[in-house]
Amino acid sequence: MAAKIKVATTSLAGCFGCHMSFLDIDERIIALAEIAEFDRSPLTDIKHCSDQVDIGLVEGGLCNAENVHTLREFRESCKILVAVGACAINGGIPAMRNHIPLQECLEESYLDAVGVENPQIPNDIELPLLLNKVHPIHEVVKVDYFLPGCPPSADVFWKFLTDLASGREPSLPYDLVHYD
Ligand code: SF4
């Protein structure tokens, strides 16, 4: 029996919708478990890769210094790194703030918004430093594959992972990746 591929996932500045969509493979997760072993992931609650993994799936872009640190560490642990979804590929929804100066965003959220009580911009030293702009992950690390969508469908995850596990170059038919 062929060795199982090791898969890890992580979430940066995203909404977890890509992870939720992955779980929509439903009962196919049993077949997937026969060819793949899950390592670090919010799905397993394993916090760090145990060793080198074959495939690392990244949801979300980079909005703070902790995201950058996590991504660099994750890249080092993954033979193949995959940008999953619009946020990882181009910044997605969080990058909408890129058109507004960061200080203005903070003031609008924490000082001026309707219903704010005890207005103050959080500045605890424990909080990750916000980046001035939200960045896609390929601006910081090498990315091997991109899975488009917001989120990519469960069928996209299934096709992509089973192709790789079978030693095939992944190919996604047009009807899986068009959104018009
Ligand atoms: S691509 Fe869409 S579903 Fe995925 S993390 Fe971003 S907003 Fe959520």
Side-chain angles (χ1 to χ4, degrees):
M1 188 176 153
K4 292 183 179 182
I5 53 166
K6 272 196 180 180
V7 180
T9 79
T10 193
S11 181
L12 305 174
C15 75
F16 269 93
C18 289
H19 276 82
M20 292 299 106
S21 182
F22 169 70
L23 290 177
D24 283 340
I25 64 172
D26 296 330
E27 71 278 4
R28 286 177 289 181
I29 203 160
I30 295 168
L32 189 62
E34 287 173 6
I35 56 172
E37 175 187 339
F38 276 81
D39 198 273
R40 170 193 175 145
S41 172
L43 305 175
T44 57
D45 208 24
I46 298 172
K47 307 294 188 201
H48 295 279
C49 291
S50 53
D51 197 356
Q52 279 277 298
V53 300
D54 298 299
I55 304 167
L57 305 173
V58 181
E59 167 194 289
L62 304 161
C63 78
N64 62 40
E66 183 182 59
N67 294 154
V68 175
H69 173 79
T70 302
L71 177 64
R72 288 200 166 120
E73 183 189 67
F74 197 68
R75 169 73 270 190
E76 281 176 17
S77 301
C78 300
K79 293 179 192 161
I80 294 172
L81 191 81
V82 187
V84 175
C87 296
I89 294 172
N90 60 30
I93 300 287
M96 289 175 73
R97 78 160 162 89
N98 288 356
H99 304 287
I100 302 164
L102 176 59
Q103 186 62 25
E104 212 176 297
C105 290
L106 292 170
E107 288 172 6
E108 176 63 27
S109 301
Y110 293 105
L111 304 183
D112 303 331
V114 175
V116 169
E117 291 184 19
N118 186 21
Q120 55 185 305
I121 295 175
N123 66 353
D124 193 294
I125 198 166
E126 293 288 329
L127 292 173
L129 185 68
L130 286 174
L131 305 178
N132 279 333
K133 304 277 184 200
V134 176
H135 297 267
I137 67 169
H138 71 264
E139 290 185 3
V140 172
V141 295
K142 175 178 177 283
V143 173
D144 300 294
Y145 293 98
F146 297 83
L147 293 187
C150 179
S153 69
D155 288 341
V156 166
F157 284 103
W158 172 256
K159 178 77 166 59
F160 180 77
L161 289 174
T162 51
D163 275 356
L164 277 180
S166 306
R168 295 188 295 269
E169 182 62 24
S171 77
L172 297 172
Y174 178 71
D175 62 348
L176 281 187
V177 290
H178 80 98
Y179 298 95
D180 49 6

